[in-house]
Amino acid sequence: MLVLGIETSCDETGAGVVKDGNEVLSDTVASSLEFHKRYGGVVPEIATRYHLEVIDYVVKDSLKSAGVTLKDIGLVAVTQGPGLVGALLVGISFAKSLGYSLGIPVVGVNHLWAHIYSGLIGRPKAKFPLMGLVVSGGHTSLVLCEGIGKFKLLGQTRDDAIGEAFDKVAKILGLGYPGGPAIEKAALRGDPEAVRLTPPYMGDDSYDFSFSGMKTAVLYHVKGRKLTAGMKADVAASFQKAAVAAVVEKAVSACASKGIGSLIVGGGVSANKLLREELTRAGAKNGIEVIFPPVRLSLDNGAMIASTGYLLYKKGKRSGLALTAEPNLGI
Ligand code: KG4
Ligand code: ZN
């Protein structure tokens, strides 16, 4: 079955065609990032208007790149939440109109589930239970995946999401938006031991995260100083190291204590090279297979929505015309 997946939860308009949940035939992404830069973060109205302007071109491009037409599509999957309500509604309205006019089913998809299952694309034989780690601009969550659509939340951030902390630290350092890639680039020239940043102790049995303290520590560290490029690089490297260490430690100890041998990592921050290296290293040391989707599928995209939509469809899920945005949808 060919599934068209549509993603419009934040600033990326994504559409992808995926065959049987497993083979990505196309993955088109247009981003309104450039228009948000001068505001230092995503402006919901700008994101929504952009989705409206480009969604039909993005969908057409994804069909063309896949070498198919709308007649070949058997299912439309669309991000239902979490995300910006106006932005989500553009994708959902488009998906429902397509489904209705083509007479094919539509499935609403949880964006966080899609970030986790994106690691399963091309691995149809992966066995549950698996540990899922979502590290994105809006979420930092550790979840036990017991099957398709079966999740147990073990821990999450109590304040800023990890990506949000990267973005805010980059803003403090004047490195621009989005902060994740900017911090990663600046950190290449910095000393990760220059500034001591430690995540707060959350309790022995807790898998929760906290990043706002580290961000505030950065703010106090730079306050009143004239920031040189070298200092920025040192702070970026120190913050990146501390933030990565915090998630690596929790993810590995969750796998060990629950007896889980595979960890899937998804969300925008999983594009980070140090995070990939450190998790892979810690996984190898502790006998845990660490699975990352290709970097392109780590960031917001329509293919992951198509693939997760297919898995849910196979489990019997159908969303009627009453499908609507759920901005605060949890795992
Ligand atoms: O998953 P995503 O594209 O959107 C959400 O669902 O939130 O994640 C976006 C987040 C942003 O905070 C961005 O700064 C971060 O992912 N990010 C990175 C990197 N690339 C994107 N963080 C660290 N290193 C990166 N290379
Ligand atoms: Zn995302």
Side-chain angles (χ1 to χ4, degrees), residues 3 20 46 49-50 58-61 71 73 82 111 117 146 149 151 158 186 216 260 274 319:
V3 185
D20 298 334
I46 294 178
R49 188 176 294 261
Y50 182 85
V58 170
V59 168
K60 272 184 195 148
D61 185 85
K71 288 198 193 80
I73 301 296
H111 183 88
Y117 292 139
E146 292 167 326
F151 292 98
R158 294 192 192 171
T216 309
I260 306 290
L274 184 71
S319 305

Side-chain angles (χ1 to χ4, degrees), residues 140-321:
T140 315
S141 313
L142 251 180
V143 274
L144 187 60
C145 320
E146 292 167 326
I148 303 301
K150 277 188 164 179
F151 292 98
K152 253 191 208 139
L153 182 65
L154 299 181
Q156 60 188 333
T157 184
R158 294 192 192 171
D159 39 61
D160 291 348
I162 184 169
E164 187 181 357
F166 268 90
D167 293 338
K168 287 179 176 169
V169 168
K171 199 168 182 177
I172 294 168
L173 298 177
L175 293 174
Y177 178 84
I183 295 265
E184 180 165 36
K185 191 168 165 219
L188 290 174
R189 286 167 282 113
D191 171 10
E193 308 299 333
V195 189
R196 208 166 150 266
L197 297 167
T198 41
Y201 175 67
M202 310 296 283
D204 280 344
D205 302 327
S206 172
Y207 295 115
D208 281 351
F209 303 90
S210 168
F211 295 97
S212 75
M214 280 194 262
K215 171 199 70 189
T216 309
V218 168
L219 189 64
Y220 280 114
H221 180 79
V222 304
K223 207 173 168 190
R225 293 193 190 185
K226 192 172 168 342
L227 276 174
T228 61
M231 278 162 69
K232 286 184 188 184
D234 284 348
V235 175
S238 303
F239 170 76
Q240 177 177 247
K241 182 181 169 227
V244 164
V247 288
V248 171
E249 196 234 289
K250 288 269 162 73
V252 169
S253 76
C255 289
S257 74
K258 305 281 174 197
I260 306 290
S262 299
L263 170 70
I264 300 191
V265 193
V269 182
S270 70
N272 185 277
K273 205 161 161 254
L274 184 71
L275 182 87
R276 287 185 174 235
E277 282 167 8
E278 293 295 318
L279 267 177
T280 307
R281 195 195 326 258
K285 206 169 140 196
N286 292 278
I288 300 160
E289 178 198 23
V290 184
I291 303 166
F292 291 97
V295 169
R296 202 180 151 79
L297 294 181
S298 294
L299 304 168
D300 288 351
N301 66 88
M304 71 177 187
I305 303 301
S307 153
T308 300
Y310 176 80
L311 297 175
L312 297 173
Y313 173 83
K314 293 283 278 181
K315 283 264 158 196
K317 181 169 180 179
R318 309 285 184 274
S319 305
L321 286 174

